[in-house]
Amino acid sequence: MSFALSKILWSLVMPGNLLALLLAVGAVLLFAGNRLRRLGRWLVAAAAVAFAMLLVTPVGDWAARPLEERFARPALPDRVDGIIMLGGAVDPMMAASRGEPSVNQSTERILAFVELARRYPDARLVSSGGSGLLRHPDAKEDAVVRAVFGQIGFDTGRVLFETESRNTWENALFSRDLVKPEPGEVWLLVTSALHMPRSVGIFRRIGWPVIPYPVDYRSFDAAAPYAGFEVERTLVLVTAAVREWIGLAAYRLMDRTPGLFPGAE
């Protein structure tokens, strides 16, 4: 129930959808009576101001940077018992439509996973991810990930594929049940830097300590100059960051993380 509800609510509050809805409702109200017409003007103005902020300010970087900098890239230990990669780097629907593997902006998860696997040839490997699609539960990630591994010449025989999870909470639970990590084992967790605070919090909550290995950074360093006039990039980044901030709050309310904003211990 929580999975379906989260998908429905997110489709309503997704920044791009919300701005489009404000514009549409505001435009309709402009042709209504005087009082509603005034409300329509306010809605259109609010949407225009929001789009202007996306155009001329680094609001996406402001929203994403605290999440991405919560965990620094660690110094790698001499021994690693296992490496787990969370799903989200491939597009099963596009792969099925076009008949070839399809990756997305989070491809660095796969590249880092393979690099670490080659560095630690004795480590157990887990690729965790089923289908996070509400209307297409059979569009799972494992077949696409296997195909991508094949394209880059990585042997999938070492990899255990967890294929039933629909969200990060289930990634952690089902992967734990699959590999049954022992106390004292050293596990690396590979996922996008934006996604790492919520992910680490979940793994801590279920009693599986991991070393975060963040990849796929999307925000610029605070010292980097802002070019501006990049509405598409900023909107995508704001959307990803807002999703994570909402996810952190929701998971804390559901007691799926030990704190609102998990950080380094």
Side-chain angles (χ1 to χ4, degrees), residues 94-152:
M94 184 61 69
S97 174
R98 292 298 183 178
E100 62 179 31
S102 178
V103 296
N104 58 34
Q105 192 174 2
S106 299
T107 313
E108 288 177 39
R109 299 189 193 187
I110 294 176
L111 299 178
F113 181 74
V114 170
E115 180 183 21
L116 291 168
R118 288 172 172 160
R119 178 173 180 143
Y120 298 103
D122 297 324
R124 301 160 70 189
L125 306 177
V126 180
S127 174
S128 179
S131 174
L133 303 173
L134 183 60
R135 294 192 300 168
H136 301 280
D138 296 328
K140 297 188 177 183
E141 295 191 5
D142 60 300
V144 186
V145 175
R146 288 177 190 270
V148 174
F149 281 155
Q151 286 184 328
I152 60 179

Side-chain angles (χ1 to χ4, degrees), residues 82-224:
I83 305 165
I84 177 169
M85 175 184 68
L86 301 188
V90 297
D91 188 339
M93 291 295 293
M94 184 61 69
S97 174
R98 292 298 183 178
E100 62 179 31
S102 178
V103 296
N104 58 34
Q105 192 174 2
S106 299
T107 313
E108 288 177 39
R109 299 189 193 187
I110 294 176
L111 299 178
F113 181 74
V114 170
E115 180 183 21
L116 291 168
R118 288 172 172 160
R119 178 173 180 143
Y120 298 103
D122 297 324
R124 301 160 70 189
L125 306 177
V126 180
S127 174
S128 179
S131 174
L133 303 173
L134 183 60
R135 294 192 300 168
H136 301 280
D138 296 328
K140 297 188 177 183
E141 295 191 5
D142 60 300
V144 186
V145 175
R146 288 177 190 270
V148 174
F149 281 155
Q151 286 184 328
I152 60 179
F154 182 69
D155 180 15
T156 60
R158 290 182 57 195
V159 185
L160 289 173
F161 288 89
E162 183 284 303
T163 63
E164 300 303 319
S165 58
R166 301 170 298 174
N167 52 38
T168 312
W169 173 251
E170 293 182 354
N171 284 152
L173 282 180
F174 297 167
S175 296
R176 183 192 62 182
D177 294 343
L178 180 65
V179 301
K180 296 178 174 54
E182 297 290 337
E185 287 187 343
V186 177
W187 282 81
L188 295 178
L189 176 65
V190 178
T191 191
S192 300
L194 266 173
H195 188 222
M196 191 60 79
R198 183 158 56 103
S199 302
V200 169
I202 291 167
F203 275 79
R204 287 176 181 169
R205 183 66 181 83
I206 67 171
W208 185 359
V210 292
I211 297 176
Y213 193 85
V215 297
D216 179 30
Y217 288 88
R218 303 184 191 181
S219 66
F220 287 106
D221 182 89

Side-chain angles (χ1 to χ4, degrees), residues 63-83:
R65 193 178 296 125
L67 292 161
E68 295 199 321
E69 296 182 352
R70 192 63 168 169
F71 291 94
R73 181 74 64 82
L76 290 172
D78 294 331
R79 186 194 100 242
V80 166
D81 298 294
I83 305 165

Side-chain angles (χ1 to χ4, degrees), residues 29-65:
L29 293 181
L30 289 178
F31 298 94
N34 287 335
R35 296 181 64 180
L36 290 178
R37 190 179 302 128
R38 188 179 301 112
L39 175 60
R41 287 197 295 267
W42 277 106
L43 292 178
V44 171
V49 169
F51 273 114
M53 288 186 64
L54 294 175
L55 181 66
V56 301
T57 72
V59 62
D61 295 271
W62 294 340
R65 193 178 296 125

